[in-house]
Amino acid sequence: MADLSHSSFADAARRNKRIGLMCLALAAGMVGLAYASVPLYQLFCQVTGFGGTPGKAESNPKGVIAREMSVRFDSNVSSDLNWTVKAAAPVTDRIGAVDTVNYVATNHSDKPITGMAIFNVSPEKAGVYFNKIECFCFTEQTLQPGETVDMPIVFFVDPELDDNRELDTIKEITLSYTFYASDNGGS
């Protein structure tokens, strides 16, 4: 009888150890997913256009169509970033035409500041058709004290937008940027 109770205690200890290791692995997996969630979500949004996220393109291989689209630009600056950012003037052009605009940013502090911009497009359904060839938002921007810089965006609206009947009434797209201080603070 003593052997049975020792055996059941050993079995219970092995089960508890296995359950403990599974819980530890689950916790480690959850921590890993938490770190990976932001880049994975950004990748998902860029691939699908979800949430009004514009695509990135090398050029416009599909040509230009007769339908015109206005693109309006907006900027917001986080309170932790001592910059002003003036949005580009609106552009009206034929869909598929490649256009270049500039945002103008000024660092009002007495030290270099590094910032980033996150963006979205509205209406959200148009996001998948808004393509950026070049954009300041692809990298961190460091502005020296008092420095003012032009920050270009080269973009086009994909002509396939015209094939989406849900977007027949869309005459204007808004590209909005929110600027915030990056973690490295310019150092």
Side-chain angles (χ1 to χ4, degrees):
M1 187 105 167
D3 285 340
L4 283 176
S5 65
H6 177 27
S7 176
S8 63
F9 282 125
D11 289 343
R14 276 194 295 274
R15 280 194 305 269
N16 288 344
K17 185 177 181 180
R18 188 175 49 185
I19 290 171
L21 288 173
M22 288 178 8
C23 288
L24 184 61
L26 179 65
M30 291 172 64
V31 168
L33 263 166
Y35 280 108
S37 64
V38 171
L40 289 173
Y41 181 72
Q42 285 179 322
L43 179 63
F44 171 76
C45 290
Q46 287 173 345
V47 168
T48 64
F50 181 77
T53 303
K56 184 176 178 182
E58 297 295 319
S59 65
N60 176 12
K62 299 174 186 170
V64 178
I65 63 173
R67 180 177 168 189
E68 287 191 341
M69 181 69 63
S70 293
V71 179
R72 195 174 71 78
F73 302 93
D74 176 55
S75 69
N76 303 287
V77 181
S78 174
S79 61
D80 67 344
L81 183 63
N82 195 7
W83 289 5
T84 55
V85 181
K86 181 180 178 211
V91 171
T92 300
D93 207 343
R94 293 179 10 196
I95 292 178
V98 176
D99 289 298
T100 302
V101 297
N102 285 297
Y103 277 61
V104 179
T106 302
N107 177 357
H108 296 287
S109 78
D110 59 355
K111 61 182 175 132
I113 297 180
T114 300
M116 288 284 297
I118 56 173
F119 51 85
N120 69 2
V121 173
S122 61
E124 285 186 18
K125 290 181 180 181
V128 71
Y129 301 104
F130 192 93
N131 292 278
K132 294 187 278 184
I133 297 170
E134 181 183 326
C135 182
F136 60 85
C137 61
F138 296 149
T139 59
E140 291 183 333
Q141 304 293 316
T142 300
L143 275 64
Q144 298 303 313
E147 182 179 19
T148 297
V149 296
D150 286 342
M151 298 190 304
I153 305 167
V154 180
F155 70 93
F156 67 93
V157 177
D158 190 321
E160 288 183 7
L161 175 138
D162 200 46
D163 296 335
N164 186 335
R165 294 297 143 226
E166 291 180 30
L167 300 175
D168 281 349
T169 60
I170 302 297
K171 306 280 187 236
E172 181 178 89
I173 294 173
T174 301
L175 177 62
S176 180
Y177 285 95
T178 299
F179 294 83
Y180 62 94
S182 68
D183 292 337
N184 75 14
S187 38

